[in-house]
């Protein structure tokens, strides 16, 4: 059901944004897989089989992205996901990526819940925040601003960010581009106040 045509990876280091350079540059990475949309050109009431088929794709992409970024999982502070649907598909086909893409990254980064039930097990682990997402229908080369938030708390303002991702020549009309993105820290010169990463109190199994 899932046939991958291309995998596109990009990694960038941000050294400053016209202010003082941080001790370590911000590294952001994204990976996009171009695959055949099994439901292109028609309305299919039951699209859930494709969601299940995408699960190993998500796991493989998450591992490949982390390897491309050349950092350990403990250094990832932000994440996001997205999808661009070719013109013969519908927006809902991009929503198939929510579970496979999001949980693949969360589990890689230390989340210890139950993806089937979407409940916690009492071992809070890491990657507690829901993975933000964006999706759109577009022509080949369409750019997507993939949102990024802190992996443990969506309200950490310093990590509100977005990474523009575009796979040249994709998606074709009958394809999907599914995307994962990660970052190693906050915006380089974040200074708008609010909850900080250091102020996060992890879920303790009592709430």
């Amino acid at each position: 059901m899932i046939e991958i045509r291309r995998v596109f990876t990009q990694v960038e280091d941000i050294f400053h944004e016209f202010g003082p350079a941080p001790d370590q540059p911000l590294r952001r990475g994204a990976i996009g897989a171009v695959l055949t949309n099994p439901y292109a050109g028609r309305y299919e009431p039951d699209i859930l089989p494709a969601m299940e088929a995408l699960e190993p794709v998500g796991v493989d992409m998450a591992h490949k992205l982390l390897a491309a970024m050349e950092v350990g999982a403990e250094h990832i502070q932000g994440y996001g996901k997205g999808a661009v649907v070719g013109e013969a598909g519908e927006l809902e086909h991009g929503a198939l990526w929510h579970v496979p893409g999001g949980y693949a990254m969360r589990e890689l980064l230390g989340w210890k819940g139950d993806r089937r039930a979407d409940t916690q097990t009492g071992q809070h682990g890491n990657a507690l925040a829901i993975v933000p997402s964006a999706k759109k229908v577009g022509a080949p080369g369409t750019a997507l601003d993939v949102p990024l938030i802190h992996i443990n708390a969506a309200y950490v303002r310093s990590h509100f960010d977005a990474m523009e991702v575009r796979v040249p020549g994709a998606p074709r009309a009958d394809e999907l581009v599914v995307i994962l993105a990660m970052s190693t820290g906050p915006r380089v010169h974040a200074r708008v106040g609010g909850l900080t990463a250091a102020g996060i109190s992890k879920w303790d199994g009592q709430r």
Side-chain angles (χ1 to χ4, degrees):
M1 174 175 279
I2 302 299
E3 180 181 346
I4 296 175
R5 180 169 71 88
R6 295 171 59 193
V7 176
F8 178 87
T9 306
Q10 64 185 78
V11 177
E12 64 175 346
D13 289 318
I14 302 175
F15 293 93
H16 67 85
E17 294 285 358
F18 307 107
D23 293 335
Q24 292 290 331
L26 170 65
R27 178 163 292 181
R28 303 193 306 185
I31 185 168
V34 182
L35 49 91
T36 301
N37 181 352
Y39 306 123
R42 72 181 195 280
Y43 176 79
E44 172 56 55
D46 182 13
I47 61 175
L48 291 181
M51 181 182 290
E52 184 172 353
L54 282 167
E55 288 185 3
V57 176
V59 171
D60 183 60
M61 288 175 61
H63 281 82
K64 284 181 175 176
L65 176 56
L66 189 63
M69 292 178 69
E70 299 183 333
V71 298
E74 68 276 12
H75 294 292
I76 299 299
Q77 295 186 27
Y79 54 23
K81 64 184 184 295
V84 181
V85 182
E87 293 170 301
E90 60 174 295
L91 189 64
E92 192 67 6
H93 298 160
L96 290 167
W97 189 232
H98 285 311
V99 170
Y103 284 114
M105 284 194 295
R106 293 180 72 188
E107 289 166 357
L108 176 63
L109 299 177
W111 185 71
K112 300 182 184 300
D114 178 355
R115 71 157 71 186
R116 298 295 181 184
D118 198 23
T119 59
Q120 298 286 356
T121 64
Q123 300 179 18
H124 58 251
N126 209 357
L128 304 182
I130 190 170
V131 182
S133 183
K135 53 190 174 292
K136 66 197 300 186
V137 176
T142 292
L144 186 70
D145 288 335
V146 180
L148 296 167
I149 63 167
H150 194 280
I151 65 170
N152 283 324
Y155 295 115
V156 177
R157 293 179 193 167
S158 59
H159 288 63
F160 292 172
D161 204 351
M163 185 172 183
E164 183 177 312
V165 181
R166 182 180 74 87
V167 180
R172 295 172 180 168
D174 62 349
E175 291 180 328
L176 299 168
V177 176
V178 292
I179 300 164
L180 300 178
M182 299 181 191
S183 68
T184 60
R187 299 182 309 278
V188 171
H189 299 311
R191 54 193 189 280
V192 295
L195 178 65
T196 65
I200 298 170
S201 177
K202 288 188 176 181
W203 183 82
D204 59 11
Q206 302 303 313
R207 293 183 297 228

